[in-house]
Amino acid sequence: MSEKEEEIELAKKNAAMRAVEENLKSNTILGVGSGSTIVHAVKRVAEIIREKKWDIKCIPTSFQAYQLIMEHGLNYTTLDRHPIIDLDIDGADEIDQDLNLIKGGGGCLVQEKIIASNSKKVIIVADYRKVSTRLGENWKKGIPIEIIPMAATPILKKIEQMGGRPSLRMARAKMGPVITDNGNFIIDADFGIIEQPKVLNEKLLNIPGVVDTGLFISLTSRVYIGEKRGNIKIIDKNN
Ligand code: 5RP
């Protein structure tokens, strides 16, 4: 790992650990997010449960999160058993000044949004590279959009007509497109800097065949940003 990569990894770890330590309580239904930053959070959750013998039940946001829950021997539950989640901890690809997010870089946006929107408190953990004034400033790969496979071609055309530059996300270790945990495809649509994320989200959701978008509007309660040199910046909604 280069010095820069080590610095980023430490920033992720610091943010994730602090978020868990400050927000986890006993008797909690916990939404477990997806991505590389969350791995650090789950490790800390497992340590706290071992030390304090707390009752924590975890709902995953992806198959990766399910694997993390199993690997660490955590209690697994579902939305059917616990439709109201106390605390959701997740990562993000970009965070704007209003705490709106771009998510789905790891392809898990649909279940992540379901969990976030059914949570009393949504805590986002990220490193310093993820913070922007407006969405689209730092995250240049486009907005991830999960779609029904048979609608791919018309959706690509409609996104172009809206002024976006869409591409179907292709798999790396398999021929053809990425298949999500829900059996769908992902389009990454570059809209440049997004002035009105709520409006754009609504327009995209109106296209038949779009399952959901990686624009997370007004869902975040608080973010923990791991900065360079070990500091952590905490930003609350409406601050
Ligand atoms: C996956 C996500 C992740 O939370 C997001 O990509 C951040 O990942 P990382 O912590 O690896 O930077 O939205 O769909």
Side-chain angles (χ1 to χ4, degrees), residues 177-215:
V178 165
I179 308 291
T180 69
D181 290 346
N182 315 302
N184 295 319
F185 289 171
I186 291 196
I187 287 173
D188 293 293
D190 180 8
F191 282 88
I193 292 174
I194 303 164
E195 304 289 349
Q196 294 181 299
K198 187 169 186 282
V199 173
L200 180 58
N201 186 43
E202 280 161 12
K203 279 191 188 156
L204 290 168
L205 289 173
N206 258 331
I207 303 174
V210 167
V211 179
D212 214 331
T213 82
L215 288 169

Side-chain angles (χ1 to χ4, degrees), residues 3-220:
E3 220 170 282
K4 174 91 180 153
E5 285 166 339
E6 272 177 25
E7 183 181 71
I8 292 167
E9 207 49 44
L10 187 63
K12 291 181 187 185
K13 184 176 176 184
N14 289 339
M17 292 198 17
R18 177 87 168 267
V20 170
E21 284 158 13
E22 287 192 4
N23 294 282
L24 194 69
K25 298 189 184 109
S26 192
N27 297 311
T28 290
I29 306 300
L30 178 68
V32 176
S34 308
S36 56
T37 315
I38 280 307
V39 174
H40 298 292
V42 174
K43 278 188 193 153
R44 191 66 191 119
V45 169
E47 280 170 8
I48 291 175
I49 293 174
R50 270 197 305 275
E51 278 162 28
K52 304 195 176 177
K53 311 272 178 274
W54 278 359
D55 178 16
I56 310 288
K57 294 186 178 66
C58 299
I59 306 190
T61 56
S62 61
F63 192 73
Q64 180 223 356
Y66 172 79
Q67 286 181 308
L68 284 173
I69 291 167
M70 292 299 130
E71 188 188 315
H72 290 275
L74 306 181
N75 287 330
Y76 164 75
T77 189
T78 63
L79 274 181
D80 293 323
R81 278 186 196 276
H82 294 100
I84 298 170
I85 298 164
D86 298 306
L87 172 68
D88 175 32
I89 304 184
D90 204 343
D93 299 305
E94 195 170 25
I95 304 162
D96 77 7
Q97 60 186 359
D98 299 320
L99 307 193
N100 295 319
L101 313 172
I102 293 180
K103 283 184 57 55
C108 314
L109 62 105
V110 168
Q111 293 185 35
E112 288 175 331
K113 202 184 275 186
I114 292 169
I115 297 301
S117 60
N118 288 293
S119 296
K120 292 184 203 165
K121 198 172 180 188
V122 177
I123 301 290
I124 297 299
V125 289
D127 64 80
Y128 54 90
R129 296 169 306 163
K130 309 293 183 70
V131 182
S132 291
T133 308
R134 288 169 303 170
L135 296 178
E137 274 175 11
N138 286 335
W139 181 255
K140 298 294 182 193
K141 293 182 185 171
I143 304 165
I145 303 166
E146 185 157 331
I147 62 150
I148 299 292
M150 58 88 77
T153 303
I155 293 175
L156 287 163
K157 287 210 167 89
K158 287 193 172 95
I159 291 174
E160 271 173 16
Q161 283 159 8
M162 286 170 63
R165 287 194 297 140
S167 58
L168 194 58
R169 193 182 294 183
M170 302 308 280
R172 292 245 181 97
K174 162 194 166 284
M175 302 310 289
V178 165
I179 308 291
T180 69
D181 290 346
N182 315 302
N184 295 319
F185 289 171
I186 291 196
I187 287 173
D188 293 293
D190 180 8
F191 282 88
I193 292 174
I194 303 164
E195 304 289 349
Q196 294 181 299
K198 187 169 186 282
V199 173
L200 180 58
N201 186 43
E202 280 161 12
K203 279 191 188 156
L204 290 168
L205 289 173
N206 258 331
I207 303 174
V210 167
V211 179
D212 214 331
T213 82
L215 288 169
F216 281 47
I217 310 296
S218 302
L219 288 170
T220 312

